Amino acid sequence: MGRVMGPYGVRGWVKVAPFTEATDALSDYPTWWLVPREGLEGRAWPVESARIHADTVVAKLAGIDTREAAAVLKGSLVAVPRDALPPLRDDEMYVGDLIGMTVVNRRGETLGKVEAVDSFGAHPVMRVAADGGAVRLVPFVAALVDAVDREAGRVEVDWGLDY
């Protein structure tokens, strides 16, 4: 749901760049999971206070009382428990659910599996890794995504093997 950018002030607050559509969404959750680096296990942190600061969220986490302690958290991914997220309508999904799905184009050619979903501002972009090691960046937009079949774990796109 976000990434810790670094400390904010001298009393242990952290500044977080949210990945959510609404900047204030993170401030609604009483507990955050912080994962320091990919492959490492996260830890729950009670949120004592959080507020919006420009296009970021600044927060005071329990037990983090100095700038130095907050600095250690820089780069950590911020998550919340899945059951704390709002329920989805039938036509919605969380972009994180795309990870691991197989991406197939209109000709039935397999492009690979979604290994990440990045956001570069305009829209989400699926990072699709092929068996041979090639990585494609496929925009997750209605003009290119024909269908997402959650049951089959498949994303159908209008995207060529040579793109």
Side-chain angles (χ1 to χ4, degrees):
M1 296 208 34
R3 180 178 307 275
V4 177
M5 298 168 61
Y8 178 79
V10 296
R11 296 194 173 144
W13 286 63
V14 293
K15 183 185 256 189
V16 176
F19 299 155
T20 56
E21 197 170 305
T23 304
D24 63 344
L26 263 178
S27 59
D28 294 336
Y29 298 99
T31 302
W32 292 353
W33 279 90
L34 269 58
V35 180
R37 286 184 301 286
E38 193 172 319
L40 295 179
E41 192 154 326
R43 176 177 168 204
W45 293 90
V47 179
E48 293 179 355
S49 183
R51 67 177 186 268
I52 305 307
H53 179 70
D55 59 347
T56 64
V57 175
V58 293
K60 173 66 175 79
L61 305 176
I64 304 296
D65 298 316
T66 65
R67 180 175 183 83
E68 293 75 21
V72 171
L73 300 174
K74 183 178 180 177
S76 296
L77 292 175
V78 179
V80 298
R82 176 75 183 223
D83 59 0
L85 296 172
L88 296 170
R89 295 187 310 238
D90 289 338
D91 63 338
E92 293 180 323
M93 70 181 303
Y94 291 112
V95 293
D97 293 339
L98 294 169
I99 296 172
M101 288 190 176
T102 301
V103 180
V104 179
N105 67 17
R106 289 180 175 173
R107 291 178 289 288
E109 301 165 322
T110 300
L111 301 177
K113 290 192 180 285
V114 179
E115 66 176 16
V117 180
D118 299 311
S119 181
F120 300 111
H123 48 73
V125 176
M126 296 182 293
R127 193 174 340 139
V128 180
D131 285 339
V135 175
R136 293 177 180 84
L137 299 177
V138 182
F140 190 75
V141 295
L144 299 174
V145 177
D146 295 331
V148 176
D149 185 342
R150 288 183 224 182
E151 297 295 319
R154 179 179 165 117
V155 181
E156 297 174 14
V157 297
D158 182 15
W159 201 260
L161 283 175
D162 56 343
Y163 293 2

